[in-house]
Amino acid sequence: MPRVYVVGSLNIDSVVEVERHPQPGETLMGGDVATYFGGKGANQAVAAAAAGADVSFIGRVGDDSGGHDYVARLRARGIDASGVTVTPDSTTGHAMIAVDARAENTIIVSPGANARLGLADLTPLEGMQPGDVLLAPLESDLNVIAEAARMARARNARVVLNLAPFAELPAAVLALADPVVVNEHEVEQLERSGVSPQSLLVTLGSAGSRWGSIEVSAARVERVVDTTGAGDSYCGTLAAGLAAGLDARAAMQAASDAAGRAVAWVGAQQD
């Protein structure tokens, strides 16, 4: 069965609930701090595995309790974590997340060991086969992401790039992806950059998602608790569907349904 390879970040998330987000220079009182496992790369890998894909993850954690716990967590989810390097003299990445009363979030990321991910870490991609899928958000070094995309395409594997957080990649790198996934804010930044990917999938929140001429409605959601993991759930499930041979519409529908479920719990990954 084709495999999903994810290159990306692993973070420990600290989440605090606030009535509203503060203005610059303003201090607000929030609720208790809750700690969760996060990082866009790991979130997407967990989502892909939950959708039934065989998943291999490439990333870095610090040589600390959070890092060791994270590796164990990935393995417990059935994810091949042999490509996760425990990095001496570095901390595991950390994200500080505030969630307001409308379930909207703001996030600050301290990359820690994620910033040490390098080209040498991509060795597992040498085993990619035709039909496999590379999935990569942009919380890692962009040169590493670009090389991962080139390695995947050289092996006739599919590349799915999620431009989150947004960063400008060369047009030649974006051209390797099918699709490039962006949300409604990132697509505006992409348009301003002057680059037009050949294959572009735009997620539009409650308005659904669009991939070229294909449009899929958003899942019906009874109650929104936290939107933190919705985009990552979408991307991971999309990659799993494409690896399983689903057509674009079916993969998008599965991804939309997963994103709808993801807003029903606090944190990026469901325990």
Side-chain angles (χ1 to χ4, degrees), residues 22-95:
Q23 299 298 315
E26 182 182 19
T27 298
L28 296 179
M29 300 298 291
D32 293 337
V33 175
T35 301
Y36 303 94
F37 293 93
K40 286 188 173 297
N43 294 343
Q44 294 181 15
V46 167
D54 292 330
V55 180
S56 293
F57 190 82
I58 297 172
R60 282 183 176 254
V61 295
D63 190 6
D64 50 27
S65 60
H68 292 287
D69 288 347
Y70 215 146
V71 172
R73 177 183 177 84
L74 294 177
R75 288 174 174 158
R77 297 293 182 97
I79 296 170
D80 177 8
S82 60
V84 179
T85 301
V86 177
T87 310
D89 303 320
S90 186
T91 59
T92 298
H94 197 104

Side-chain angles (χ1 to χ4, degrees), residues 16-31 97-106:
V16 60
E17 294 185 358
V18 294
E19 182 64 25
R20 61 178 176 82
H21 293 293
Q23 299 298 315
E26 182 182 19
T27 298
L28 296 179
M29 300 298 291
I97 303 171
V99 181
D100 70 13
R102 298 181 301 171
E104 296 294 338
N105 62 74
T106 57

Side-chain angles (χ1 to χ4, degrees), residues 43 187 197 227 267:
N43 294 343
V187 73
T227 61

Side-chain angles (χ1 to χ4, degrees), residues 13 20 109 148 151 184 235:
D13 292 349
R20 61 178 176 82
V109 176
M151 290 178 68
E184 52 197 324
C235 291

Side-chain angles (χ1 to χ4, degrees), residues 5-190:
Y5 289 77
V6 183
V7 177
S9 57
L10 308 97
N11 292 326
I12 303 299
D13 292 349
S14 294
V15 181
V16 60
E17 294 185 358
V18 294
E19 182 64 25
R20 61 178 176 82
H21 293 293
Q23 299 298 315
E26 182 182 19
T27 298
L28 296 179
M29 300 298 291
D32 293 337
V33 175
T35 301
Y36 303 94
F37 293 93
K40 286 188 173 297
N43 294 343
Q44 294 181 15
V46 167
D54 292 330
V55 180
S56 293
F57 190 82
I58 297 172
R60 282 183 176 254
V61 295
D63 190 6
D64 50 27
S65 60
H68 292 287
D69 288 347
Y70 215 146
V71 172
R73 177 183 177 84
L74 294 177
R75 288 174 174 158
R77 297 293 182 97
I79 296 170
D80 177 8
S82 60
V84 179
T85 301
V86 177
T87 310
D89 303 320
S90 186
T91 59
T92 298
H94 197 104
M96 291 144 280
I97 303 171
V99 181
D100 70 13
R102 298 181 301 171
E104 296 294 338
N105 62 74
T106 57
I107 305 173
I108 299 174
V109 176
S110 173
N114 294 308
R116 306 273 289 275
L117 189 70
L119 298 178
D121 293 307
L122 299 179
T123 301
L125 297 183
E126 295 174 356
M128 294 191 81
Q129 301 292 324
D132 289 344
V133 175
L134 170 72
L135 174 61
L138 301 188
E139 281 185 334
S140 303
D141 184 282
L142 298 184
N143 291 324
V144 174
I145 298 302
E147 180 59 22
R150 286 189 284 265
M151 290 178 68
R153 290 301 301 128
R155 291 160 176 79
N156 292 318
R158 186 172 201 146
V159 176
V160 177
L161 294 178
N162 174 214
L163 305 193
F166 181 81
E168 292 188 16
L169 287 172
V173 175
L174 295 180
L176 300 174
D178 184 22
V180 172
V181 183
V182 292
N183 64 22
E184 52 197 324
H185 304 294
E186 291 150 2
V187 73
E188 293 176 359
Q189 295 172 288
L190 183 63

